[in-house]
Amino acid sequence: MNWVYRYVLVFCLCGLAGLTDLIARPLRILYVRDAVANEQRLQYAVDKIAAITGLQADVYHFPETKLQKDDLVLGLLGTGAQWETLVPEVLLKNLESKESFIIYRKDKTSPLIILGKDETGLLYGCEEASKNTFYGEDPVSFADAPEMVLRGTAIGMQKTKYLPGRDVYEYPYTEDLFPWFYDKELWVQYLDMMLENRYNTLYLWNGHPFSSLVKLKDYPYALEVDDETFAKNEEIYRFLTEEANKRGIWVIQMFYNILLPKPFADKHGLKTQERNRVITPLIEDYTRKSIAAFVEKYPNVGLLVTLGEAMEGVGQDDIDWFTKTIIPGVKDGLSAIYSELEPPIILRAHDTDAPAVMKEALPIYKNLYTMAKFNGEALTTYETRGKWAELHQTLGSIGTVHIQNVHILANLEPFRYAAPDFIQKSVKSMHDIHFSNGLHLYPQASYWDWPYTADKTEKRLLQVERDWMWYKAWARYAWKADRPESEEKAYWSSLLSDYYGISAKDATNLLTALDEVGEISPKILRRFGITDGNRQTSSLGMLMTQLINPYRYGLFTLLYDSEAPEGEMIIDYAEKEFKDEQHTGETPMRVADEIVTHANKAVQAVKEIERAANKNKEEFQRLINDVYIHQALAEHYSCKVKAAIQLLEYKYTADLASLRKALPDFEKSVAAYKKLTDLTKDTYLYANSMQTKQRKIPMRGVDATFKHWTEMLPVFETELHNFKEAIDSIAATVGQPKKERKLLNDKEVAVKADVQYTVLKKGAKLHLDQELVVTHLANELEGMKAVMINSEEQKLNGTTLKFESDQNVKVLVGYFNNTDKVFAPKPVLEIDASANDYGQAEAKIRNALRVQYMPMLDIHTYSFPKGKNELKIPKGEALILGFVADDALQHAYNADVDNQGDDMDDLFGYYEETKL
């Protein structure tokens, strides 16, 4: 079947005109108009066949025209009875699901018939027949249908940085910001790629798109673009939706809740985003009318709704907003055009109780779908488990289609990822583990920099071109996941052979390399990482403290509990080693060895073919370079992890020999990073495409800093140097007492409420309505004035504290280390993009205080400028422990008030002003 695969690529590259000479052309094209619902899609399919053959297509009526052997007959199933004289009934039975199709020729004296269940099925059938040269004169009996109902790709109307005066996700649709959005040729190229791969949904992501796409009579000032831009937006949006419809693609517009357009927010003295926002009649009315106007204008465009992140997480507000604002807005839009055809609404299960929302929504709106992230904002495993798998299973069992969101891919960027084996296993698990029947696919890398890749080239590369194999692989397995291994190796080798002009043997070696490389980044993150979110740039490496003390950096435990095979973190492994206990599952040491093995196998596979390409030669060299990049990355992580495990021994032995034994691997990790830097300095512009304050690991990436390996190499060199000096310093100070931390000093602020204070000390009572007292606290907190809290009021309503200060201050807020809903949730960037707006995401003092019968408490700090300010704490138990100068508590540390052991962070010193 190799000739079939070769024609697939020939069709893509040669274009319709070039293909004309290669196919066995029919003499006539006849198409049946019966049962047609989507006239534009049918006509597009007919026109494509006509263009390929150079023939005119004519309408065929049963049974008026006698068919000839060289005829090509196109049609839709309809009732089925009229086709039974031409197609065997057993073949017609394959046309049960949407988008299914059959291709049939009885014998060489019979016409070729392409029949679709619907217009999309007919379009796919025509594409399939074209690829296979209309099958010559041979008998044909072929049927095909998709397994996944929805197969879609996503494009972000986002930027790598924030706009002045705005926050995350706030990007109006303008030519200055998104010139590519108005490029019709680029859209046609992208939509053609989607059709070629049989994607049927296109998602556009934006915080609040309505203020760029609709005008409201009651809120004319909410429009964020000028009239000329608005007209261009109308034109391109109409063009996009019409062209997508022709190709069987359904456009879905995504938005966050609750975001407000800046001119609207400014006029009413509101914030564009506020997680703990009170839903007012004004906000509700504006949002409902925006949605209604959008549905009235674009009734065939679906909506993807993110209730969480820009609202206060899980709760009744989410349910009410969805059922009393969003759905009524959709219905208002339908009423305005007298339509009863409900556009689809997809509920994204992000920071919301999606099962509870769906329970309330389904009785009032039927065309609902659910969506949840497959592996968070990364690709880590094809076999999730625990709470994450349970969420998917719950959503996949409620009776609607559940969609898998392959989201952000922060651990893969910026390098090429084309590992068909990993992708196939992932799609299988979407069905088998997650009970899912839909795919939503993010770009493989550089989501925030669409349409470009991060490659450093004279002319920027397009993602749609560079990452062709990424799109093709997910689409292939979304259509059908269970395909034999031998068939897949032959298929992908054939494509690679054609694309790069290399021999079958060389293509097989290249495929081996791609599959081996495909295991490296997932294993690194799932066994060594801090988070599945895009606050970590995995390809830039990790600080030693991030490896040996992940809780300091806000460890997202779901990464280990659900998005990785059962196994151990580095800190668990080191403890078990010291205690000589049995290890469990996938261990850090095992993965440290495996990633190097994968990398070495990949390098060995490409070593002999580095100059083999006869086509797309420059891209081939970039791909080969990526293989060597992964080898350096694997070596860096492997050596550093082994050093981390060794030096953790010091925590238990206090023996300097434990630290000294870590030095050789530590030094090797830096040497490998130098090699990684050399391989990337002239080939990549950046590692991470989101270059904002959300980027925290390995270094804080505000204002597009620490985005390249050349910036991180000095950090790792300094870290190693500081470690060597720390060993010498410890050796010189053995037996000397440790220095006490200085007391924190209160700063006076004018609180605009009647509050009571208490002085922090052991035995202090921090609640107005409870008798619980402080049992442990960090020495430096002694004497601070804490605000006494009514715990019941705090649990029900949260706290809003207005105050005024004559200088910049930090507010110390204590969050309990427990995820039970009775406790206020810590600020977490994985679910809340605003979680670091005041510098609050990082726990500045960990294990700082304990109240009797309560979990340990960490202190997070909120920085405010001088003047009038407002602190908001979400619902649930939390404490306000005082006010200090803003230059206090610059660096996070572990107070360890329960004496659980030193976290060893001081061994690595500082890089400039940053504590490593």
Side-chain angles (χ1 to χ4, degrees), residues 646-650 653-663:
Q646 174 56 51
L647 66 84
L648 275 169
E649 184 180 88
Y650 179 76
T653 66
D655 185 350
L656 271 176
S658 298
L659 299 182
R660 291 191 174 112
K661 288 178 185 177
L663 267 176

Side-chain angles (χ1 to χ4, degrees), residues 177-224:
L177 293 178
F178 305 108
W180 58 265
F181 184 64
Y182 304 87
D183 186 337
K184 293 181 179 179
E185 288 185 6
L186 183 61
W187 273 124
V188 168
Q189 179 187 7
Y190 188 80
L191 295 172
D192 283 346
M193 178 279 292
M194 293 184 70
L195 173 57
E196 177 190 336
N197 290 299
R198 298 179 187 170
Y199 285 112
N200 63 6
T201 38
L202 169 61
Y203 298 84
L204 298 179
W205 282 61
N206 186 265
H208 189 76
F210 308 115
S211 54
S212 295
L213 298 171
V214 293
K215 292 180 179 179
L216 301 182
K217 179 181 177 182
D218 293 342
Y219 304 100
Y221 51 85
L223 190 67
E224 294 200 84

Side-chain angles (χ1 to χ4, degrees), residues 659-677:
L659 299 182
R660 291 191 174 112
K661 288 178 185 177
L663 267 176
D665 277 322
F666 205 160
E667 290 170 334
K668 288 177 185 176
S669 76
V670 175
Y673 203 86
K674 287 179 180 177
K675 184 164 61 173
L676 176 61
T677 302

Side-chain angles (χ1 to χ4, degrees), residues 85 200 255 260 306 348 354 400 406 435 479 499 594 645 732:
T85 58
N200 63 6
F255 63 101
L260 300 174
T306 297
R348 184 174 170 227
T400 60
V406 181
F435 307 164
W479 184 269
Y499 191 80
E594 286 179 353
I645 291 169

Side-chain angles (χ1 to χ4, degrees), residues 39 68 102 193 318 322 454 480 615 679 733 768:
E39 181 68 36
Q68 302 173 20
I102 59 174
M193 178 279 292
D318 288 11
F322 193 62
K480 183 182 178 182
K615 291 163 56 179
L679 289 166
T733 58
L768 294 168

